[in-house]
mmCIF file of all heavy atoms in Angstrom:
data_model
loop_
_atom_site.group_PDB
_atom_site.id
_atom_site.type_symbol
_atom_site.label_atom_id
_atom_site.label_comp_id
_atom_site.label_asym_id
_atom_site.label_seq_id
_atom_site.Cartn_x
_atom_site.Cartn_y
_atom_site.Cartn_z
ATOM 1 N N LYS A 27 12.217 -6.566 6.696
ATOM 2 C CA LYS A 27 11.504 -5.311 6.939
ATOM 3 C C LYS A 27 10.378 -5.138 5.938
ATOM 4 O O LYS A 27 9.296 -4.648 6.333
ATOM 5 C CB LYS A 27 12.526 -4.159 6.753
ATOM 6 C CG LYS A 27 13.398 -3.899 7.978
ATOM 7 C CD LYS A 27 14.081 -2.526 7.939
ATOM 8 C CE LYS A 27 15.325 -2.509 7.181
ATOM 9 N NZ LYS A 27 15.985 -1.191 7.248
ATOM 10 N N ALA A 28 10.691 -5.477 4.684
ATOM 11 C CA ALA A 28 9.620 -5.308 3.642
ATOM 12 C C ALA A 28 8.349 -6.056 3.979
ATOM 13 O O ALA A 28 7.217 -5.592 3.737
ATOM 14 C CB ALA A 28 10.153 -5.736 2.326
ATOM 15 N N VAL A 29 8.453 -7.210 4.565
ATOM 16 C CA VAL A 29 7.317 -8.023 4.912
ATOM 17 C C VAL A 29 6.681 -7.605 6.200
ATOM 18 O O VAL A 29 5.478 -7.490 6.343
ATOM 19 C CB VAL A 29 7.685 -9.532 5.064
ATOM 20 C CG1 VAL A 29 6.533 -10.390 5.555
ATOM 21 C CG2 VAL A 29 8.199 -10.056 3.682
ATOM 22 N N HIS A 30 7.506 -7.169 7.217
ATOM 23 C CA HIS A 30 6.975 -6.964 8.583
ATOM 24 C C HIS A 30 6.837 -5.554 9.061
ATOM 25 O O HIS A 30 6.028 -5.270 9.885
ATOM 26 C CB HIS A 30 7.819 -7.760 9.557
ATOM 27 C CG HIS A 30 7.660 -9.269 9.424
ATOM 28 N ND1 HIS A 30 6.510 -9.919 9.810
ATOM 29 C CD2 HIS A 30 8.514 -10.206 8.955
ATOM 30 C CE1 HIS A 30 6.608 -11.202 9.534
ATOM 31 N NE2 HIS A 30 7.791 -11.368 9.019
ATOM 32 N N ALA A 31 7.720 -4.633 8.632
ATOM 33 C CA ALA A 31 7.726 -3.328 9.241
ATOM 34 C C ALA A 31 6.359 -2.626 9.196
ATOM 35 O O ALA A 31 5.735 -2.582 8.170
ATOM 36 C CB ALA A 31 8.795 -2.461 8.632
ATOM 37 N N GLY A 32 5.959 -2.112 10.356
ATOM 38 C CA GLY A 32 4.703 -1.365 10.418
ATOM 39 C C GLY A 32 3.474 -2.235 10.554
ATOM 40 O O GLY A 32 2.376 -1.755 10.884
ATOM 41 N N VAL A 33 3.633 -3.528 10.271
ATOM 42 C CA VAL A 33 2.477 -4.426 10.289
ATOM 43 C C VAL A 33 2.419 -5.228 11.596
ATOM 44 O O VAL A 33 3.325 -5.962 11.905
ATOM 45 C CB VAL A 33 2.548 -5.419 9.102
ATOM 46 C CG1 VAL A 33 1.351 -6.382 9.084
ATOM 47 C CG2 VAL A 33 2.578 -4.538 7.771
ATOM 48 N N VAL A 34 1.353 -5.007 12.342
ATOM 49 C CA VAL A 34 1.154 -5.789 13.582
ATOM 50 C C VAL A 34 -0.194 -6.418 13.527
ATOM 51 O O VAL A 34 -1.120 -5.876 12.923
ATOM 52 C CB VAL A 34 1.271 -4.910 14.839
ATOM 53 C CG1 VAL A 34 2.713 -4.485 15.116
ATOM 54 C CG2 VAL A 34 0.305 -3.746 14.851
ATOM 55 N N PRO A 35 -0.396 -7.593 14.145
ATOM 56 C CA PRO A 35 -1.703 -8.197 14.105
ATOM 57 C C PRO A 35 -2.751 -7.227 14.610
ATOM 58 O O PRO A 35 -2.520 -6.449 15.589
ATOM 59 C CB PRO A 35 -1.608 -9.426 15.017
ATOM 60 C CG PRO A 35 -0.123 -9.764 15.034
ATOM 61 C CD PRO A 35 0.586 -8.434 14.889
ATOM 62 N N ASP A 36 -3.898 -7.164 13.948
ATOM 63 C CA ASP A 36 -4.986 -6.233 14.308
ATOM 64 C C ASP A 36 -5.362 -6.480 15.833
ATOM 65 O O ASP A 36 -5.670 -7.586 16.175
ATOM 66 C CB ASP A 36 -6.170 -6.450 13.500
ATOM 67 C CG ASP A 36 -7.334 -5.576 13.835
ATOM 68 O OD1 ASP A 36 -7.034 -4.352 13.882
ATOM 69 O OD2 ASP A 36 -8.487 -5.980 14.054
ATOM 70 N N PRO A 37 -5.354 -5.432 16.613
ATOM 71 C CA PRO A 37 -5.511 -5.631 18.117
ATOM 72 C C PRO A 37 -6.951 -6.212 18.429
ATOM 73 O O PRO A 37 -7.058 -6.881 19.469
ATOM 74 C CB PRO A 37 -5.412 -4.219 18.647
ATOM 75 C CG PRO A 37 -5.343 -3.211 17.508
ATOM 76 C CD PRO A 37 -5.010 -4.063 16.279
ATOM 77 N N THR A 38 -7.936 -5.944 17.625
ATOM 78 C CA THR A 38 -9.280 -6.439 18.000
ATOM 79 C C THR A 38 -9.518 -7.875 17.575
ATOM 80 O O THR A 38 -10.242 -8.615 18.193
ATOM 81 C CB THR A 38 -10.388 -5.522 17.488
ATOM 82 O OG1 THR A 38 -10.168 -5.304 16.085
ATOM 83 C CG2 THR A 38 -10.443 -4.221 18.181
#
Side-chain angles (χ1 to χ4, degrees):
K27 282 199 270 184
V29 174
H30 290 290
V33 179
V34 289
D36 180 51
T38 51

